[in-house]
Amino acid sequence: MTMSSSDSSCYTVVFESSAEYPSVSELRSGLEKGSDEVKIDTLRKIIVSTINGNPQPTLMMPIIQFVMPSRNKQLKKLLHFYWEVCPKYDENGKLKQEMILVVNAIRNDLQHPNEYIRGASLRFLQKIAKDQELLEPLIPTCRSCLEHRHSYVRKNAVFALYSIYREFEHLIPDAAELMSTFLAAESDSSCKRNAFVFLAHCSMPKAVEYILNIYDSIGTLDEALQMSIIEVIRLDCKSDSAHRSRYIRCIFELLNASSHAVKYEAATTLTTLTQNPAAVKAAASCFINLVIKESDNNVKLIVLDRLDNLRAKHGHVLDGLIMDVLQVLSSADMEVRRKAISIVLSMTSSRNVEEVVLFLKKQLQKTQEADFEKAPEYRQLLIQSIHITAVKFSEVAASVVHALMEFLGDSNNPSALDVVAFVREVVEKFPHLRATICEKLISTLPEIKSGKVFRGVLWILGEYVESVVDIQSTMREIRKVLGEIPILASEQRLLDEAGGDVEEDEEKPKVEGGGRPKVLADGTYATESAYTSTTAARLEAVKTAAKPPLRTLILGGDFFTGAVLAAALTKLVLRFAEASQDSVASNTLRAEAMLIMTSIIRVGQSKFVTVQIDEDSNERIMNCIQTLSGLETEPSVHDVFLEDTKTAFTKMLGAQERAAEKKEAETTKAVAIQVDDLLPFRQFSKKTADDAIDYDEDVGRATGAGEIQEDFMSNLSRISQLTGFSDPIYAEAYVKMNGFDILLDVLLVNQTGNTLQNLCLDFATLGDLKIVERPAVYTIAPHGFQSIKATIKVSSTETGVIFGSILWEGPNMSEACVILNDIHIDIMDYIKPAYCNEAQFRSMWTEFEWENRVNVNNPMSDPREYLKHVMKATNMSCLTPEGATSGDCDFLSANMYARSLFGEDALANLSVERTEAGTITGHVRIRSKTQGIALSLGDRITMAQKDSKPLSV
């Protein structure tokens, strides 16, 4: 069998500079007259040239004459590279005459007394294992190397024969007997491993027989041989092997091997051999020990994934190992901890929940005592985990809620916010805990530092503090964290005591004596007196003086917290009025609340605050004041404050639970099999174990062998016309997106009656696109066809353009050219809908610097329909819950999110309203880390606006 040049192997293209490349005569001279160093450099240049498509066939004889006799080992190694890549066949597909000399030289090297040269030559034979004519005369010499005294020669001889056997079995007809004899006499572990792999390939029964012969000593063998034995056991058990029980005992023994790789493969294989609970637990324990002892975080994550799959298939069998899994949290890597926690949460049941929560509380305490790296992030993870566990298992909620409330004053804001979210959910779901939780929250108020945490705590107190005593206690603590009331008057008094009466200063005439020049914003000079400078310094000193936490936030410009405080005070006063018959106490409490609210508004309009009060907060606080001033006249407002907000929160929790249940149902839903589906015979056999890992099938799927072929019509929709019908050459391209590559299949049609010679299709790109291959040169017959494939690498989600031209030799050697139409690459093929929670969205929205604002003016009448239209056009998912967008309303605001194949995040906020004319107006804001994706999505939305119907993407 001969091998044509079209079947030659593919090698890496190595860059070579054509400007510096020597001529053939210079290369010949270097081979003939140069020293070993010159010959090495010359041969290296010839190899690179051959790989890049310029084989230099005339230099083969000089290489045989002047390089092959050399004893230099580096030159001999390079010579092997050259024989591997050089063209060995002539135009007729027959072996070149010169290769007889090469075969003779290789035979001499295989009989060389130096074991390195023998071994290197045997390794070289593995590279040319498809050239039968070259290999056939070398087989006897290879076989003789199996008996060489040195193990390096023997192990390479085994794999050289293995490579030849895989291609041409008839060259080694007695391979099974040869390897069995070799294994029986061999003592070196690497040689035995190579021979065993060869034996398993050529004769599985003999490989199984060998395993049974050495059954008792498998635990003491070398790691590589143990891995090969596990592989053979896995393959043999695909059929109904009679030795399954012995295999299981053997695998059990290998779970205690010293090598981590052997342990992992043994545990994985054990679960494919049996579903026995003891075996499953043993495999899971092995995985857990691997995670704890292995230092590589990537390996930890892979093993945890395998453990998670095992848990999903075998349910509560592994629940007893939950405390062992918790030991994985000793790892320093956050991804490993996060994965371990997710496994623990799925394994938690009412039988072990108390132990789990106790362990998590101890870990939480450690994060507070020791300030190690990523402690805040780890603390937040633990708080979220305890939150999920406590809500799921009500019996532990009471024991953890008070422990977690210790972290409300945590300097790490996300952790404190998670605690607030947890407490808010617990007080709603477990009414019997409300009184004790509210007492604890009231006492914790002075320790809180964050405005967001204050808002959450104040909302909880406003909703769930119900008794008269607790309401009075809450008011006392709020007065403490606010400081002296009214705020403006007390701040003014502090300034007066510092000697800087602001009101008097405004009345006094300004004396501008002895001032120093000052440059204003417009470039003009102004003077500043020492008197006014001193007053400003005193005012700044009053602002920076130590104050209670809530007062500090309000003076710092956080009037949103002030508005939440006003709403909480209103609820407390209304509830006090309903619960107490003491009208004097009720009126006193109402007056105090109104004084606090007016004080916030007054100070918000003064110069003591960093930022003036905003209109929304001002209006919200004024509404609360009006509600309290008309306490008896507006009873309907009471329901809004006391009932509606709590009802809305209850509905939100219910919607979240339903969404979580729906998601869980989707993930656990069994794959439906249609009635008329064909069943493979394997389906009728008894299922005694997990599905075996079939590496051959995996390779087939990875290489696309099992992919469903695209239908003809979808292919037609991706064809772009590159030239006109009247051009000398008609060209069209089929554009196929394939992961990170774009495959262009270009069809060229010669529409002339002349032969087009030296035709070259030249592409160039705009954007983050890169041409992979160099264009080849073609000759097309009159009215002939030529198909050319080009691969383009994509490195980011940015709208790219491919343009180019077709060049060929016209009459009288003149150059003719046709310019191609541009091909625009659609980024929608690289953008997929994705999901994230609200906190992650807000964090990314703040972090991302590129924003593209697209104005909306669309004839659609329904805002929700327009949202679906934009989602379809941009491949983005809507993060806003469906309940929030439901109902009949003239305006809509929604958040959208998508992620590209390159890991780029794209955020969007849609804010639109329906006008009186029935059209949609507003804007869409898109944010991303890179400019390209923001601009591309903006262009996509603009294009989608031109047609009220959703685009087909």
Side-chain angles (χ1 to χ4, degrees):
M1 186 183 97
T2 58
M3 181 177 173
S4 64
S5 59
S6 62
D7 295 330
S8 59
S9 302
C10 176
Y11 301 98
T12 304
V13 176
V14 182
F15 174 75
E16 58 174 340
S17 174
S18 57
E20 301 174 3
Y21 193 76
S23 64
V24 175
S25 59
E26 289 173 338
L27 291 172
R28 186 191 297 271
S29 175
L31 293 172
E32 290 178 5
K33 302 173 183 175
S35 61
D36 281 353
E37 287 73 20
V38 174
K39 287 180 180 179
I40 288 170
D41 186 54
T42 305
L43 191 54
R44 185 179 283 114
K45 288 177 180 176
I46 295 171
I47 292 170
V48 171
S49 174
T50 304
I51 289 174
N52 287 344
N54 186 15
Q56 311 279 8
T58 57
L59 293 176
M60 184 177 282
M61 273 314 293
I63 290 172
I64 292 172
Q65 285 177 304
F66 303 107
V67 178
M68 210 158 63
S70 173
R71 294 186 177 184
N72 185 295
K73 289 185 175 60
Q74 189 179 356
L75 203 53
K76 197 171 281 293
K77 187 72 175 174
L78 275 175
L79 201 56
H80 286 164
F81 285 137
Y82 178 71
W83 298 137
E84 184 184 346
V85 302
C86 74
K88 306 171 189 66
Y89 299 89
D90 58 20
E91 293 83 0
N92 300 319
K94 293 186 178 180
L95 195 69
K96 290 183 177 179
Q97 295 296 321
E98 297 93 328
M99 295 310 293
I100 298 171
L101 300 172
V102 175
V103 171
N104 190 48
I106 294 170
R107 186 190 291 111
N108 291 338
D109 284 344
L110 290 175
Q111 296 171 335
H112 200 280
N114 184 312
E115 62 271 8
Y116 166 77
I117 292 176
R118 275 206 192 197
S121 302
L122 288 164
R123 288 173 68 87
F124 163 65
L125 289 187
Q126 298 172 35
K127 305 287 182 65
I128 58 166
K130 291 186 178 182
D131 296 299
Q132 182 181 350
E133 290 182 46
L134 281 177
L135 295 170
E136 201 163 357
L138 300 174
I139 299 292
T141 318
C142 282
R143 294 178 68 127
S144 67
C145 287
L146 290 174
E147 300 170 5
H148 193 270
R149 58 182 175 78
H150 205 286
S151 61
Y152 178 70
V153 176
R154 295 199 302 275
K155 74 176 183 182
N156 281 306
V158 170
F159 258 16
L161 290 169
Y162 179 29
S163 302
I164 296 167
Y165 180 83
R166 279 189 304 184
E167 299 297 331
F168 312 107
E169 290 187 16
H170 63 278
L171 293 182
I172 314 174
D174 59 339
E177 291 76 13
L178 182 67
M179 285 300 108
S180 296
T181 309
F182 179 82
L183 271 170
E186 184 56 57
S187 59
D188 182 77
S189 58
S190 59
C191 294
K192 287 166 78 172
R193 181 258 173 188
N194 288 4
F196 181 73
V197 171
F198 187 0
L199 184 63
H201 181 82
C202 65
S203 176
M204 181 62 78
K206 285 190 177 293
V208 171
E209 184 184 338
Y210 177 75
I211 292 175
L212 298 177
N213 289 339
I214 61 164
Y215 183 80
D216 295 329
S217 61
I218 286 178
T220 61
L221 297 175
D222 180 71
E223 172 189 347
L225 185 53
Q226 286 177 338
M227 295 280 281
S228 301
I229 288 172
I230 292 172
E231 178 67 20
V232 169
I233 288 174
R234 187 187 288 134
L235 292 172
D236 190 37
C237 285
K238 281 186 179 179
S239 57
D240 195 11
S241 174
H243 308 294
R244 183 181 290 267
S245 58
R246 297 191 72 183
Y247 286 157
I248 291 172
R249 287 198 298 274
C250 172
I251 296 294
F252 255 111
E253 187 178 346
L254 290 175
L255 289 178
N256 301 317
S258 57
S259 165
H260 287 182
V262 173
K263 279 184 175 181
Y264 176 78
E265 289 296 332
T268 305
T269 304
L270 183 61
T271 58
T272 68
L273 298 181
T274 178
Q275 275 189 329
N276 183 283
V280 172
K281 279 185 108 170
S285 296
C286 182
F287 284 142
I288 294 167
N289 288 332
L290 277 176
V291 177
I292 294 171
K293 293 177 182 177
E294 179 60 48
S295 57
D296 190 328
N297 289 328
N298 292 320
V299 174
K300 286 177 186 275
L301 290 170
I302 291 168
V303 178
L304 283 172
D305 276 332
R306 181 67 66 191
L307 181 65
D308 197 22
N309 291 337
L310 205 60
R311 179 208 56 76
K313 288 180 180 177
H314 298 282
H316 296 294
V317 174
L318 307 183
D319 284 358
L321 300 172
I322 192 167
M323 298 310 292
D324 295 332
V325 180
L326 283 168
Q327 300 303 319
V328 177
L329 294 179
S330 59
S331 169
D333 185 74
M334 280 307 301
E335 285 301 317
V336 173
R337 284 172 169 168
R338 198 169 279 115
K339 186 70 182 174
I341 282 282
S342 71
I343 294 173
V344 167
L345 292 179
S346 57
M347 293 170 68
T348 306
S349 64
S350 54
R351 294 190 298 275
N352 55 31
V353 65
E354 291 183 3
E355 294 176 332
V356 171
V357 168
L358 184 63
F359 184 91
L360 294 177
K361 282 165 68 176
K362 287 180 179 176
Q363 289 290 309
L364 197 58
Q365 196 66 32
K366 285 181 183 177
T367 64
Q368 211 171 13
E369 293 169 358
D371 188 20
F372 54 87
E373 188 184 2
K374 294 190 176 177
E377 197 177 343
Y378 183 37
R379 190 181 310 141
Q380 186 180 357
L381 176 64
L382 290 170
I383 289 170
Q384 290 171 348
S385 307
I386 294 173
H387 176 176
I388 294 167
T389 309
V391 170
K392 194 174 179 182
F393 303 96
S394 57
E395 61 267 28
V396 297
S399 65
V400 299
V401 69
H402 292 287
L404 286 189
M405 281 197 283
E406 300 291 338
F407 294 90
L408 282 172
D410 194 352
S411 56
N412 181 34
N413 196 29
S415 298
L417 287 174
D418 285 332
V419 174
V420 169
F422 167 61
V423 173
R424 191 170 58 186
E425 195 168 342
V426 167
V427 292
E428 170 59 32
K429 289 191 171 182
F430 310 115
H432 63 282
L433 298 176
R434 287 177 185 172
T436 55
I437 289 175
C438 288
E439 284 177 18
K440 179 68 175 174
L441 284 178
I442 292 166
S443 63
T444 313
L445 278 175
E447 301 169 13
I448 299 173
K449 304 177 183 67
S450 163
K452 287 184 178 180
V453 178
F454 253 120
R455 292 198 287 272
V457 171
L458 288 171
W459 186 87
I460 294 170
L461 293 176
E463 290 293 344
Y464 299 103
V465 171
E466 295 174 346
S467 70
V468 171
V469 176
D470 287 345
I471 291 173
Q472 290 174 332
S473 173
T474 305
M475 289 297 293
R476 281 196 298 273
E477 288 301 322
I478 288 174
R479 284 291 298 266
K480 284 182 186 177
V481 294
L482 265 178
E484 190 181 345
I485 301 294
I487 301 173
L488 180 60
S490 60
E491 293 294 311
Q492 181 65 52
R493 192 178 69 253
L494 282 175
L495 186 62
D496 293 346
E497 289 171 1
D501 191 336
V502 176
E503 301 296 332
E504 290 180 14
D505 290 345
E506 290 177 356
E507 294 170 7
K508 287 181 183 178
K510 299 292 185 293
V511 182
E512 304 294 345
R516 60 182 184 275
K518 182 180 177 183
V519 181
L520 297 178
D522 59 358
T524 59
Y525 284 98
T527 54
E528 180 185 17
S529 67
Y531 186 76
T532 55
S533 176
T534 307
T535 304
R538 287 171 182 162
L539 180 61
E540 191 62 35
V542 170
K543 285 183 181 180
T544 55
K547 295 180 178 67
L550 191 52
R551 189 190 193 96
T552 304
L553 289 169
I554 291 171
L555 291 175
D558 188 357
F559 292 104
F560 183 25
T561 302
V564 174
L565 172 63
L569 290 173
T570 305
K571 292 172 188 175
L572 291 173
V573 171
L574 292 174
R575 198 169 285 116
F576 188 89
E578 289 181 355
S580 173
Q581 302 299 322
D582 188 350
S583 59
V584 175
S586 179
N587 285 333
T588 304
L589 195 69
R590 176 165 56 154
E592 188 177 359
M594 293 174 71
L595 176 62
I596 291 172
M597 294 180 206
T598 52
S599 177
I600 292 171
I601 293 177
R602 284 289 310 280
V603 79
Q605 296 166 346
S606 73
K607 59 182 69 182
F608 289 101
V609 291
T610 311
V611 182
Q612 295 286 303
I613 188 170
D614 58 284
E615 190 179 338
D616 288 342
S617 299
N618 190 14
E619 185 179 348
R620 177 71 170 149
I621 297 172
M622 287 300 295
N623 286 340
C624 293
I625 295 173
Q626 288 170 1
T627 302
L628 292 181
S629 62
L631 199 59
E632 291 82 13
T633 58
E634 296 288 343
S636 59
V637 180
H638 296 195
D639 292 339
V640 174
F641 276 98
L642 298 181
E643 303 296 335
D644 290 0
T645 51
K646 191 183 292 186
T647 306
F649 180 60
T650 307
K651 282 183 180 178
M652 188 185 83
L653 286 180
Q656 288 177 351
E657 287 177 2
R658 285 193 298 275
E661 288 171 4
K662 184 180 177 183
K663 187 176 180 181
E664 188 175 349
E666 286 175 355
T667 54
T668 56
K669 188 166 59 178
V671 178
I673 298 177
Q674 298 301 324
V675 178
D676 55 351
D677 280 355
L678 294 175
L679 294 176
F681 289 115
R682 215 183 313 173
Q683 293 278 345
F684 294 108
S685 63
K686 184 181 177 184
K687 185 174 176 66
T688 57
D690 289 353
D691 295 333
I693 300 171
D694 192 332
Y695 289 114
D696 294 335
E697 287 183 14
D698 288 348
V699 170
R701 283 195 292 269
T703 54
E707 286 183 4
I708 300 170
Q709 296 297 315
E710 293 182 346
D711 64 305
F712 181 67
M713 292 307 294
S714 69
N715 288 350
L716 286 178
S717 65
R718 292 180 172 272
I719 290 178
S720 301
Q721 186 177 335
L722 302 180
T723 63
F725 292 113
S726 59
D727 287 319
I729 294 179
Y730 173 73
E732 64 182 25
Y734 164 55
V735 183
K736 182 178 181 181
M737 308 294 179
N738 185 18
F740 301 108
D741 297 335
I742 299 171
L743 179 66
L744 294 181
D745 191 348
V746 184
L747 174 67
L748 301 180
V749 182
N750 180 2
Q751 302 195 106
T752 68
N754 304 319
T755 300
L756 302 181
Q757 294 186 340
N758 295 331
L759 182 139
C760 176
L761 178 63
D762 194 12
F763 280 120
T765 58
L766 203 63
D768 287 336
L769 305 174
K770 189 179 292 183
I771 307 289
V772 176
E773 297 112 338
R774 295 190 309 179
V777 176
Y778 300 91
T779 298
I780 306 181
H783 305 291
F785 295 81
Q786 179 67 50
S787 180
I788 302 173
K789 288 183 171 60
T791 305
I792 293 168
K793 208 82 175 168
V794 186
S795 56
S796 76
T797 315
E798 189 173 343
T799 302
V801 181
I802 304 171
F803 53 95
S805 60
I806 303 174
L807 305 169
W808 71 91
E809 280 185 11
N812 303 322
M813 301 296 288
S814 62
E815 188 179 80
C817 174
V818 172
I819 305 299
L820 305 177
N821 287 335
D822 296 345
I823 302 173
H824 292 266
I825 302 304
D826 189 359
I827 67 161
M828 288 303 109
D829 290 298
Y830 295 98
I831 291 180
K832 304 296 177 191
Y835 295 91
C836 66
N837 59 39
E838 185 183 357
Q840 291 170 327
F841 184 90
R842 288 179 181 275
S843 172
M844 288 189 286
W845 187 268
T846 307
E847 178 189 346
F848 292 170
E849 55 188 18
W850 289 104
E851 178 172 315
N852 186 13
R853 181 185 169 115
V854 180
N855 292 323
V856 173
N857 191 358
N858 198 279
M860 282 186 177
S861 58
D862 188 353
R864 283 192 297 276
E865 286 299 318
Y866 183 74
L867 172 63
K868 292 176 183 175
H869 174 48
V870 172
M871 286 166 57
K872 188 171 183 181
T874 58
N875 277 2
M876 300 186 90
S877 61
C878 182
L879 301 181
T880 306
E882 191 175 341
T885 59
S886 60
D888 188 21
C889 190
D890 284 342
F891 62 87
L892 173 68
S893 180
N895 292 333
M896 295 178 287
Y897 178 56
R899 183 179 289 124
S900 74
L901 291 178
F902 309 97
E904 300 165 312
D905 297 298
L907 313 175
N909 172 260
L910 179 138
S911 297
V912 293
E913 63 176 337
R914 181 166 47 205
T915 63
E916 293 179 0
T919 60
I920 300 290
T921 61
H923 61 265
V924 181
R925 294 166 65 194
I926 304 159
R927 286 198 181 182
S928 65
K929 193 172 282 187
T930 56
Q931 183 183 20
I933 191 170
L935 292 175
S936 300
L937 285 173
D939 293 343
R940 189 76 186 177
I941 293 172
T942 304
M943 289 168 59
Q945 280 200 77
K946 294 178 181 178
D947 187 359
S948 60
K949 296 177 183 178
L951 292 181
S952 58
V953 290

